[in-house]
Amino acid sequence: MTNRSTNTTGTAGAASTTAGAFQTGTDRKGSLAAFKGLLPFLRPYRRQFFLAAIALVVAAGATLAIPYAFKQMIDLGFGAAAGAEARSIRHVDATFLALFGVATVLALATAARFFTVSWLGERVTADIRSAVYTHVVNQSPEFFETTQTGEVLSRITTDTTLIQAVVGTSISMALRNILLFVGGLIMLFFTSVKLSSIILGLLVMVVVPIVLFGRRVRKLSRDSQDRIADASAMAGEILNAMPTVQAFTHEHIESSRFKASVESAFGTAMKRIRARALLTMVAIVMVFGTIVFVLWLGAHAVLAGTMTGGDLGQFILYASIVAGSIGALSEVMGEAQRAAGATERLLELLSARSNIQNPAPAQRLQLPVRAANGAALALSDVSFSYPSRPDTLALAQLSLTIRPGETVAVVGPSGAGKTSLFQLLLRFYDPQSGAIKLDGVDIRQLDLHSLRDAIGIVPQDTVIFSADAMENIRYGRAGASDADVIKAAKLAAAHEFIERLPQGYKSFLGERGVRLSGGQRQRIAIARALLKNPPLLLLDEATSALDAESERLVQTALEAAMVGRTTIIIAHRLATVQRADRIIVMEDGRIVETGTHATLVAHGGIYANLAALQFHSVHVTPHEATPQAAA
């Protein structure tokens, strides 16, 4: 079929190509600019942020009050005159009582802040995951031509976890330490203007190179996340193809490839870790070196009598708070740099826009849920190329009219455009020219859900979900009763084998239906389509995986289901299309023959050659048979 290769990514190098799949979506920005994209997820929780801010200010204020209490204790307690011993003891007692009160306030405010910001981190992360997943499932197939599911899953899980750490911890820590830094700096100037001016000037000289180096950490953080996503994409691809991997004894090869990908991610992560470690070391050495130098000056001031011991003690504590806040901010900046890369990746994913959009305003099909006459279908001069192959026409000026209730079979060699026709009918893609009308309405003017609700499809590659048989069939119509599900299963000749399963319809079918045979999976898919009971039915090799007996049963069921509805059948096995009202023969995206089985065989064209190969009704030379052998 035409689109088989377009949706398949080769294993070699696939992960590396997806890493930059979204690079065009958003430009690289600074850390703070990247976090602006999170504002829509943060706004609904302004009240919680306000409460967290109150707790944060109270906790910071309590912390900043501690050094002042120590100054009072030193100057008025330990430094009291000998005749005022009783007064100094009372002052020490009062000071320690006040310290205990401050500690209690600090504990309550810190606990309230921790609970609130942790709740915010979990809540915002859950909202982001839901938004990203909802956005992805509404993308057109074009999106998945260039994006692996492992890449998307990495962004939904790993990247959102990093954002959770920022929202639930880092933002709070950053604001707390900013308050402590500003408050501590003010108190330092209140204690000693001279020493504070010196320490501030030195700190400015220290912070500038730290900020510049932090930009390199951010880039390495983004690269590290990309390499992790590559490894995740590769693992997802291989795990979904384990039977093929094992059949070709490629376990060792794929393990080696994954190990190489993991080692690449590890190498990039180590670059990030080394950069962060160096940044932390430089920050601590330079900041504390500055503070030690200023404290040395303060000690000389005490010895010279220009400063009290309490003032120096208070200055030391406030300097420690300022230095500690700077050290904590450097740690938070490292986490923020890493989360900024994750945020960019998620925003790139959210910025991806599907080319298939609902029109405004959208029309809805006026079709009954159980159509009695089927739906009319008309294609006028439709030309279409896949976005990944714009220079190759999958369909070329195709015109076709199908009457309500008519059964039309589409046959032809692989690559003729048969499956592309189905892709356009479901509006997974839009043609570059021409129009497709369903019951007289251009499908580009229809609401997407209304259009697809009117179409039932049995694909060649059957999808079975990790659920029981009942729910797998009920996927065709979510509100169907158990009785309706069983009725559809009987029509699809699936009831008997389902009943023989250990728990019957409640039997878990395994991931991708691994507990079923190919024919059983196909009958589940047929039952799902019959349960939907749409006016337009698309069958893409619906009986290709069935044995002769099952094919006979399902063919009988399908013939009954086709009554009263429009049906289009894609088939390579011509025995399944002989009773169609009309057979369309396609080649190179064009209709080259039209007629019934008998008239086409008599015509002696492509269909006659295909029939000869399958039914051996006429002699075909090897040269004539070669082009059709792929069919």
Side-chain angles (χ1 to χ4, degrees):
M1 259 52 88
T2 305
N3 74 322
R4 291 291 186 254
S5 62
T6 61
N7 292 329
T8 304
T9 305
T11 54
S16 61
T17 60
T18 57
F22 303 106
Q23 296 303 315
T24 57
T26 56
D27 297 329
R28 295 294 179 87
K29 304 174 182 178
S31 298
L32 294 179
F35 287 129
K36 287 181 181 178
L38 297 179
L39 289 178
F41 299 98
L42 302 179
R43 287 195 189 100
Y45 308 109
R46 288 187 289 264
R47 178 173 173 271
Q48 286 81 358
F49 276 106
F50 179 71
L51 295 175
I54 292 176
L56 187 64
V57 171
V58 172
T63 303
L64 291 171
I66 293 175
Y68 181 75
F70 271 95
K71 168 185 162 52
Q72 297 298 312
M73 182 182 65
I74 293 172
D75 285 348
L76 301 180
F78 300 141
E85 181 179 344
R87 184 171 61 84
S88 66
I89 292 175
R90 287 196 304 273
H91 187 82
V92 169
D93 291 344
T95 300
F96 276 98
L97 186 62
L99 278 174
F100 179 75
V102 170
T104 302
V105 172
L106 177 62
L108 292 173
T110 301
R113 174 186 63 83
F114 172 79
F115 176 83
T116 307
V117 298
S118 296
W119 183 90
L120 282 168
E122 296 288 347
R123 180 68 267 165
V124 170
T125 301
D127 292 347
I128 291 174
R129 283 175 176 156
S130 297
V132 172
Y133 184 80
T134 300
H135 185 73
V136 169
V137 298
N138 283 284
Q139 295 299 306
S140 68
E142 179 183 350
F143 174 85
F144 296 99
E145 284 188 16
T146 55
T147 308
Q148 289 180 304
T149 54
E151 166 80 5
V152 175
L153 291 175
S154 173
R155 299 190 181 203
I156 292 176
T157 54
T158 306
D159 290 355
T160 51
T161 300
L162 291 174
I163 293 175
Q164 176 185 345
V166 169
V167 176
T169 304
S170 297
I171 290 178
S172 171
M173 291 293 294
L175 293 175
R176 175 179 179 272
N177 284 286
I178 288 172
L179 287 176
L180 291 178
F181 175 77
V182 174
L185 202 59
I186 292 172
M187 293 305 296
L188 282 176
F189 274 95
F190 179 79
T191 306
S192 173
V193 175
K194 177 184 176 182
L195 294 180
S196 299
S197 299
I198 294 172
I199 198 172
L200 183 61
L202 293 175
L203 284 177
V204 170
M205 295 174 61
V206 168
V207 168
V208 171
I210 291 175
V211 171
L212 294 176
F213 191 72
R215 294 181 179 178
R216 171 171 168 77
V217 175
R218 175 173 170 268
K219 180 180 182 301
L220 291 172
S221 298
R222 171 62 193 252
D223 292 343
S224 178
Q225 290 304 111
D226 285 341
R227 299 293 78 73
I228 292 171
D230 290 346
S232 177
M234 180 184 294
E237 181 182 34
I238 298 306
L239 291 177
N240 284 330
M242 280 312 299
T244 302
V245 172
Q246 293 176 351
F248 285 91
T249 63
H250 274 212
E251 296 93 334
H252 177 70
I253 294 174
E254 296 301 342
S255 296
S256 298
R257 288 182 62 241
F258 182 74
K259 182 178 179 181
S261 181
V262 170
E263 288 299 321
S264 175
F266 173 76
T268 306
M270 288 308 300
K271 291 180 182 178
R272 171 181 57 82
I273 292 169
R274 279 193 292 268
R276 280 196 61 188
L278 180 61
L279 177 63
T280 302
M281 181 191 72
V282 170
I284 292 174
V285 169
M286 296 182 73
V287 169
F288 275 92
T290 300
I291 292 173
V292 168
F293 172 70
V294 173
L295 292 181
W296 175 74
L297 296 177
H300 280 272
V302 172
L303 293 175
T306 59
M307 192 176 193
T308 68
D311 285 336
L312 181 59
Q314 176 178 280
F315 191 89
I316 291 172
L317 290 176
Y318 280 125
S320 298
I321 289 174
V322 170
S325 63
I326 293 175
L329 282 171
S330 69
E331 279 291 318
V332 170
M333 281 300 295
E335 290 296 328
Q337 299 287 2
R338 192 178 179 198
T343 302
E344 284 180 343
R345 287 157 51 84
L346 284 170
L347 293 179
E348 285 170 0
L349 193 55
L350 285 171
S351 69
R353 289 291 175 263
S354 173
N355 291 329
I356 306 300
Q357 298 287 342
N358 261 331
Q363 299 183 43
R364 298 190 65 86
L365 280 173
Q366 301 302 314
L367 292 170
V369 176
R370 297 183 178 278
N373 299 315
L377 187 66
L379 290 82
S380 304
D381 294 323
V382 172
S383 294
F384 168 65
S385 298
Y386 285 98
S388 57
R389 295 180 296 169
D391 297 328
T392 303
L393 281 176
L395 296 175
Q397 297 180 321
L398 185 71
S399 295
L400 174 64
T401 300
I402 300 177
R403 300 182 302 275
E406 186 178 12
T407 297
V408 175
V410 182
V411 301
S414 294
K418 303 184 295 295
T419 301
S420 298
L421 175 62
F422 278 17
Q423 299 268 17
L424 295 185
L425 293 180
L426 286 161
R427 206 176 169 225
F428 289 157
Y429 300 90
D430 280 335
Q432 280 75 36
S433 63
I436 302 174
K437 294 184 178 181
L438 186 63
D439 268 12
V441 182
D442 192 319
I443 64 173
R444 283 174 290 199
Q445 303 303 317
L446 288 172
D447 175 79
L448 277 174
H449 286 180
S450 176
L451 168 66
R452 292 168 184 169
D453 280 343
I455 301 174
I457 184 168
V458 180
Q460 182 176 4
D461 300 323
T462 303
V463 174
I464 300 296
F465 298 98
S466 296
D468 59 38
M470 182 71 74
E471 294 306 314
N472 262 285
I473 298 175
R474 206 194 312 270
Y475 203 83
R477 180 157 51 92
S481 66
D482 289 357
D484 289 337
V485 171
I486 294 172
K487 180 180 178 181
K490 288 179 177 178
L491 285 173
H495 177 72
E496 290 186 4
F497 84 77
I498 293 175
E499 285 286 284
R500 290 195 298 268
L501 295 174
Q503 286 84 39
Y505 280 85
K506 296 299 181 182
S507 297
F508 178 67
L509 302 183
E511 187 177 7
R512 302 187 310 279
V514 294
R515 297 184 179 182
L516 301 178
S517 68
Q520 290 172 335
R521 288 196 294 269
Q522 205 149 25
R523 278 180 276 174
I524 292 285
I526 293 170
R528 187 185 294 160
L530 294 178
L531 180 65
K532 188 177 184 181
N533 198 16
L536 177 59
L537 184 62
L538 308 179
L539 306 177
D540 187 356
E541 296 285 358
T543 60
S544 63
L546 303 181
D547 55 59
E549 178 61 20
S550 296
E551 181 177 10
R552 184 186 62 81
L553 294 172
V554 171
Q555 193 63 42
T556 301
L558 288 175
E559 287 175 2
M562 292 175 196
V563 175
R565 79 179 77 243
T566 307
T567 307
I568 305 177
I569 306 170
I570 290 177
H572 280 149
R573 293 162 66 170
L574 302 185
T576 63
V577 304
Q578 293 184 62
R579 298 183 184 179
D581 298 323
R582 190 162 31 127
I583 298 173
I584 304 296
V585 183
M586 294 186 65
E587 187 176 44
D588 297 329
R590 294 176 171 83
I591 296 176
V592 293
E593 296 177 9
T594 303
T596 64
H597 172 77
T599 57
L600 290 175
V601 169
H603 179 66
I606 294 176
Y607 184 87
N609 286 337
L610 293 173
L613 287 172
Q614 294 190 26
F615 303 131
H616 306 287
S617 57
V618 297
H619 174 72
V620 181
T621 67
H623 176 72
E624 292 173 321
T626 300
Q628 288 77 31

